[in-house]
Amino acid sequence: MTLKGVHFAQPPALMQPFNIPVQIALQGSRRCQGSTALSTSERKRNIYPNNGDPLNMHKKLPSSAGEDRAMLLGFAMMGFSVLMFFLFGITILKPFMLSTQREESNCTTMHTRITDDWMGCAFTCDVGCQGQSKYPCLQVTVNLTHSGQKALLHYNEEAVQINSKCFYTPKCHRDRNDLLNRALDIKEFFDHKNGTPFSCFYSPDSQSEDVILIKKYDQTVIFHCLFWPSLTLLGGALIVGMVRLTQYLSLLCARHSTALRGEVGSQVPCMEQH
């Protein structure tokens, strides 16, 4: 602009209105980029705690009261199954393994008798009191059908181990007449079976003359002693495994939803600033 030979420059204030919107846009884009980068790092820390290590995700799993009860039930079932294995192993499995293996056969009663020598036994009469008594020894002689061998019949494996001379050992008490009547009843039962074959068990590997009437520990008992504790152990392990899997999946779902909310929340402020 010229006024009487004097030249004036254009004032710089007139250029500022055009520069301010550009500077605001640049600053807003930088803030959006910074907030986006910050939200990404924060989202990574939220998804992978412990310095972003994904291997440590399973260390802290959320649990509810129902899941805690289910976990307690599962561990209780596994502990109970271990206790069952221990008890059955001592009381049933170990005697079965140590006992003589016997096979089934048919026996025929030859004669029965009560010996003149009564066997001594002890019984408990009161607290701190122990008495002595005697019981009659019943002997049952049988004939093995398959071999024609003569043998003494016993009630079960324990009767052979306790007293190999008598058919069974009754529960000892003071009344000897009652013990005698029980022995006479058993004698009468076998007398009626005279000549009638019945099932019995003998040992083919030994030359022993001991034959038992019933097997206390057979294959069915051993099966139940192993099947039910194993089933309880498997059920407890499945309960614990399912609860842990449910907790792990719920944790992954929660962290995935948190990551999505973080991405959406980081984009909204930038759109408002634009």
Side-chain angles (χ1 to χ4, degrees), residues 58 61-62 67 71 237-253:
H58 64 279
L61 298 177
E67 292 174 346
M71 291 282 289
L238 285 177
I239 291 175
V240 174
M242 293 299 293
V243 171
R244 297 294 292 179
L245 179 62
T246 303
Q247 292 177 349
Y248 182 73
L249 294 178
S250 62
L251 179 63
L252 289 180
C253 182

Coordinates of all heavy atoms in Angstrom, one line a residue, residues 58 61-62 67 71 237-253:
H58 N -3.2 -68.2 33.7 CA -4.0 -69.1 34.5 C -3.6 -69.1 35.9 O -4.2 -69.9 36.7 CB -3.7 -70.5 33.9 CG -2.2 -70.9 34.1 ND1 -1.3 -70.5 33.2 CD2 -1.6 -71.7 35.0 CE1 -0.1 -71.0 33.6 NE2 -0.3 -71.7 34.7
L61 N -7.3 -67.2 38.5 CA -8.6 -67.4 37.8 C -9.7 -66.9 38.8 O -9.7 -67.2 40.0 CB -8.7 -68.8 37.5 CG -7.7 -69.4 36.5 CD1 -7.9 -70.9 36.3 CD2 -7.7 -68.7 35.2
P62 N -10.7 -66.2 38.2 CA -11.8 -65.8 39.1 C -12.7 -67.0 39.5 O -12.8 -68.0 38.7 CB -12.6 -64.9 38.2 CG -12.3 -65.3 36.8 CD -10.9 -65.8 36.8
E67 N -18.5 -72.5 42.4 CA -17.3 -73.1 41.9 C -16.4 -73.6 43.0 O -15.7 -74.6 42.9 CB -16.5 -72.2 40.9 CG -17.3 -71.9 39.6 CD -16.6 -70.8 38.8 OE1 -15.7 -70.1 39.3 OE2 -16.9 -70.7 37.6
M71 N -15.2 -77.4 43.6 CA -13.8 -77.8 43.7 C -13.6 -78.5 45.0 O -12.8 -79.6 45.1 CB -12.9 -76.5 43.7 CG -12.8 -75.8 42.4 SD -11.7 -76.6 41.2 CE -10.1 -76.2 41.9
A237 N -11.8 -86.0 39.8 CA -10.9 -85.4 38.8 C -11.6 -84.6 37.7 O -11.2 -83.6 37.3 CB -9.9 -86.4 38.3
L238 N -12.7 -85.2 37.3 CA -13.5 -84.6 36.2 C -14.2 -83.3 36.7 O -14.2 -82.3 36.0 CB -14.6 -85.5 35.7 CG -14.1 -86.7 34.8 CD1 -15.3 -87.6 34.4 CD2 -13.5 -86.1 33.5
I239 N -14.7 -83.3 38.0 CA -15.3 -82.1 38.5 C -14.2 -81.0 38.6 O -14.5 -79.8 38.2 CB -15.9 -82.4 39.9 CG1 -17.1 -83.3 39.7 CG2 -16.3 -81.1 40.6 CD1 -17.7 -83.8 41.1
V240 N -13.1 -81.3 39.2 CA -12.0 -80.3 39.3 C -11.6 -79.8 37.9 O -11.4 -78.6 37.7 CB -10.8 -80.9 40.1 CG1 -9.7 -79.8 40.1 CG2 -11.2 -81.2 41.5
G241 N -11.4 -80.7 37.0 CA -11.0 -80.3 35.6 C -12.0 -79.4 34.9 O -11.7 -78.4 34.3
M242 N -13.3 -79.7 35.1 CA -14.4 -78.9 34.4 C -14.5 -77.5 35.1 O -14.7 -76.5 34.4 CB -15.7 -79.6 34.5 CG -15.8 -80.9 33.7 SD -15.6 -80.6 32.0 CE -17.1 -79.7 31.6
V243 N -14.3 -77.4 36.4 CA -14.4 -76.1 37.0 C -13.2 -75.3 36.6 O -13.4 -74.1 36.3 CB -14.4 -76.3 38.6 CG1 -14.3 -75.0 39.3 CG2 -15.7 -77.0 39.0
R244 N -12.0 -75.8 36.6 CA -10.8 -75.1 36.1 C -11.0 -74.6 34.7 O -10.6 -73.5 34.3 CB -9.6 -75.9 36.3 CG -9.3 -76.3 37.7 CD -8.9 -75.1 38.6 NE -7.7 -74.5 38.2 CZ -7.1 -73.5 38.8 NH1 -7.8 -72.8 39.8 NH2 -6.0 -73.0 38.4
L245 N -11.5 -75.5 33.8 CA -11.7 -75.1 32.4 C -12.8 -74.0 32.3 O -12.6 -73.0 31.5 CB -12.2 -76.3 31.6 CG -12.5 -76.1 30.1 CD1 -11.2 -75.6 29.4 CD2 -13.0 -77.4 29.5
T246 N -13.8 -74.1 33.1 CA -14.8 -73.0 33.1 C -14.3 -71.7 33.5 O -14.5 -70.6 32.9 CB -16.0 -73.4 34.0 OG1 -16.6 -74.6 33.5 CG2 -17.1 -72.3 33.9
Q247 N -13.5 -71.7 34.6 CA -12.8 -70.5 35.1 C -11.9 -69.9 34.0 O -11.8 -68.7 33.8 CB -12.1 -70.8 36.4 CG -13.0 -71.1 37.5 CD -12.2 -71.4 38.8 OE1 -10.9 -71.6 38.7 NE2 -12.8 -71.5 39.9
Y248 N -11.1 -70.7 33.3 CA -10.2 -70.3 32.3 C -10.9 -69.6 31.2 O -10.5 -68.6 30.7 CB -9.3 -71.4 31.9 CG -8.3 -71.1 30.9 CD1 -7.1 -70.3 31.2 CD2 -8.4 -71.4 29.5 CE1 -6.2 -70.0 30.3 CE2 -7.5 -71.1 28.6 CZ -6.3 -70.4 29.0 OH -5.4 -70.0 28.1
L249 N -12.0 -70.3 30.7 CA -12.8 -69.7 29.6 C -13.4 -68.4 29.9 O -13.5 -67.5 29.1 CB -13.8 -70.7 29.1 CG -13.2 -72.0 28.5 CD1 -14.4 -73.0 28.1 CD2 -12.4 -71.7 27.2
S250 N -14.0 -68.3 31.2 CA -14.6 -67.1 31.6 C -13.6 -66.0 31.7 O -13.8 -64.8 31.4 CB -15.3 -67.3 32.9 OG -14.3 -67.6 33.9
L251 N -12.3 -66.3 32.1 CA -11.3 -65.3 32.2 C -10.9 -64.8 30.8 O -10.7 -63.6 30.6 CB -10.1 -65.9 32.9 CG -8.8 -64.9 33.0 CD1 -9.2 -63.7 33.9 CD2 -7.7 -65.7 33.6
L252 N -10.8 -65.7 29.8 CA -10.5 -65.3 28.5 C -11.6 -64.4 27.9 O -11.3 -63.4 27.2 CB -10.3 -66.5 27.6 CG -9.0 -67.3 27.8 CD1 -9.0 -68.5 26.9 CD2 -7.8 -66.5 27.6
C253 N -12.8 -64.8 28.2 CA -14.0 -64.0 27.7 C -14.0 -62.6 28.3 O -14.2 -61.6 27.6 CB -15.3 -64.7 28.0 SG -16.8 -63.9 27.4

